[in-house]
Amino acid sequence: MKILNSSLETVCGITSVFPEHSAPEVAFAGKSNVGKSSLINGLMNRKNLARTSSEPGKTQTVNFYNINNGQMYFVDLPGYGYAKVSEKQREKWGKMIEKYLQNSPTLKQVLLLIDIRHKPGNNDKMMYDWIISNGFDPVIIATKHDKLKRSEVSKSLKLIASTLGEGKPVHIIPYSSVTKYGRDEILSLFDEFIEE
């Protein structure tokens, strides 16, 4: 897939109604500091359309990015597992993510981002299992690939797969927002459900 243009079209808060359209959607889920905005910007070839921040927990809304004039939408979900926000706020974000995943009629794929340097935590495992229980087969994007030595990558990917999949196969793509490693492989995932 080639992304020719992109724009932030809709921002939905806790009480918002999600937009209705017929184009396929891909959702991006992950911890607050895992690099979701950097991945979305990297895929769109934009520097800062998706807001990146050194302060985790910045995305507190569900953001819809229009790709190629409505050919498809990238949907950035609020980051989870950020300790500095209140329990009440975390619950609201969880409900917002749940509402979206359970009700979007055109959601085709969920990308779950995991930092390649760390073993997935309880929140990651819960989110992975929850995505599967909602009928999706998540693709794991192992972010920050450039932070590891080449010799360490395979071991890290195996740890992510065994922690999340518990023996079942897990689809993982390593990605770096610095080198754009993995970008083409991620974009090719979308070819099957977009009309050229």
Side-chain angles (χ1 to χ4, degrees):
M1 178 194 188
K2 276 190 179 166
I3 295 183
L4 305 172
N5 58 67
S6 53
S7 61
L8 175 58
E9 184 172 288
T10 312
V11 175
C12 294
I14 302 288
T15 58
S16 303
V17 175
F18 294 130
E20 287 182 27
H21 51 248
S22 56
E25 294 176 353
V26 173
F28 295 76
K31 268 188 194 157
S32 298
N33 57 350
V34 76
K36 268 191 300 104
S37 299
S38 298
L39 169 63
I40 292 168
N41 284 328
L43 293 177
M44 297 189 298
N45 254 337
R46 298 286 293 268
K47 277 234 160 64
N48 37 21
L49 183 58
R51 290 166 221 141
T52 57
S53 172
S54 55
E55 194 185 313
K58 203 73 179 159
T59 305
Q60 302 183 12
T61 50
V62 177
N63 299 334
F64 290 78
Y65 294 90
N66 182 329
I67 307 297
N68 293 346
N69 301 315
Q71 187 180 39
M72 71 178 297
Y73 284 84
F74 287 172
V75 183
D76 186 9
L77 301 173
Y80 56 80
Y82 183 49
K84 281 193 184 175
V85 299
S86 69
E87 187 65 42
K88 199 173 177 184
Q89 188 65 35
R90 284 208 296 272
E91 261 179 47
K92 282 182 181 172
W93 292 355
K95 281 180 182 153
M96 204 159 38
I97 294 170
E98 188 172 357
K99 180 178 151 191
Y100 170 72
L101 287 179
Q102 290 181 340
N103 295 299
S104 170
T106 59
L107 178 59
K108 300 293 184 189
Q109 198 153 49
V110 182
L111 305 183
L112 177 59
L113 281 65
I114 305 284
D115 188 326
I116 196 169
R117 300 169 298 175
H118 306 300
K119 180 180 178 180
N122 290 338
N123 285 329
D124 297 316
K125 177 73 174 126
M126 266 167 52
M127 179 56 87
Y128 181 79
D129 292 344
W130 195 71
I131 293 167
I132 287 176
S133 73
N134 275 276
F136 296 99
D137 187 12
V139 176
I140 306 304
I141 309 299
T143 61
K144 310 190 184 187
H145 171 266
D146 55 286
K147 306 275 191 196
L148 284 187
K149 293 177 185 161
R150 192 179 290 182
S151 59
E152 299 169 326
V153 170
S154 177
K155 186 180 168 190
S156 290
L157 295 178
K158 279 181 187 159
L159 180 62
I160 291 170
S162 63
T163 305
L164 295 177
E166 297 177 335
K168 293 176 189 154
V170 176
H171 187 177
I172 306 180
I173 301 175
Y175 174 77
S176 165
S177 61
V178 176
T179 65
K180 299 296 183 286
Y181 183 93
R183 179 179 186 269
D184 291 344
E185 193 178 344
I186 296 168
L187 286 174
S188 71
L189 293 172
F190 311 148
D191 288 337
E192 66 182 273
F193 49 76
I194 59 166
E195 292 175 19
E196 298 294 344

